[in-house]
Coordinates of all heavy atoms in Angstrom, one line a residue:
L116 N 108.4 96.6 137.2 CA 107.6 97.5 136.4 C 106.5 98.2 137.2 O 106.0 99.3 136.8 CB 107.1 96.8 135.2 CG 106.9 97.6 133.9 CD1 108.2 98.3 133.4 CD2 106.4 96.7 132.8
L221 N 112.8 103.1 132.6 CA 112.2 103.2 131.3 C 112.1 104.7 130.8 O 112.4 105.0 129.7 CB 110.9 102.5 131.2 CG 110.9 101.1 130.8 CD1 111.4 100.2 131.9 CD2 109.5 100.6 130.4
I226 N 111.7 105.5 126.9 CA 110.6 104.7 126.5 C 109.5 104.6 127.6 O 108.9 103.5 127.9 CB 111.0 103.2 126.2 CG1 111.9 102.7 127.3 CG2 111.8 103.2 124.8 CD1 112.2 101.2 127.1
P227 N 109.1 105.7 128.2 CA 108.1 105.6 129.2 C 106.7 105.1 128.7 O 106.0 104.5 129.5 CB 108.0 107.1 129.7 CG 108.4 107.9 128.6 CD 109.5 107.1 127.9
D228 N 106.4 105.4 127.4 CA 105.1 105.0 126.9 C 105.0 103.5 126.7 O 104.0 102.9 126.4 CB 104.9 105.6 125.5 CG 104.7 107.1 125.7 OD1 104.5 107.6 126.8 OD2 104.8 107.9 124.6
A229 N 106.2 102.8 126.9 CA 106.2 101.3 126.7 C 105.7 100.6 127.9 O 105.4 99.4 127.8 CB 107.6 100.8 126.3
V230 N 105.5 101.2 129.0 CA 105.2 100.6 130.3 C 103.9 99.7 130.2 O 103.9 98.6 130.5 CB 105.1 101.6 131.4 CG1 104.6 100.9 132.7 CG2 106.5 102.1 131.7
P231 N 102.8 100.3 129.7 CA 101.6 99.5 129.7 C 101.7 98.2 128.8 O 101.2 97.2 129.2 CB 100.5 100.5 129.1 CG 101.1 101.8 129.4 CD 102.5 101.7 129.3
G232 N 102.3 98.4 127.6 CA 102.4 97.2 126.8 C 103.3 96.1 127.3 O 103.0 94.9 127.3
L233 N 104.4 96.5 127.9 CA 105.3 95.6 128.5 C 104.7 94.9 129.7 O 104.9 93.7 130.0 CB 106.6 96.3 128.9 CG 107.5 96.8 127.7 CD1 108.6 97.7 128.2 CD2 108.1 95.6 127.0
A234 N 103.9 95.7 130.5 CA 103.2 95.1 131.7 C 102.3 94.0 131.2 O 102.1 93.0 131.9 CB 102.5 96.2 132.5
T235 N 101.6 94.3 130.1 CA 100.6 93.3 129.6 C 101.4 92.0 129.2 O 100.9 90.9 129.5 CB 99.9 93.9 128.4 OG1 99.1 95.0 128.8 CG2 98.9 92.8 127.8
I236 N 102.5 92.1 128.5 CA 103.3 91.0 128.1 C 103.7 90.2 129.3 O 103.6 89.0 129.4 CB 104.5 91.4 127.3 CG1 104.0 91.9 125.9 CG2 105.5 90.2 127.1 CD1 105.1 92.5 125.1
L237 N 104.3 90.9 130.3 CA 104.8 90.2 131.5 C 103.7 89.6 132.3 O 103.9 88.4 132.8 CB 105.6 91.2 132.4 CG 106.9 91.7 131.8 CD1 107.5 92.8 132.6 CD2 107.9 90.5 131.8

Side-chain angles (χ1 to χ4, degrees):
L116 207 59
L221 270 71
I226 51 171
D228 294 344
V230 171
L233 292 166
T235 298
I236 292 173
L237 289 169

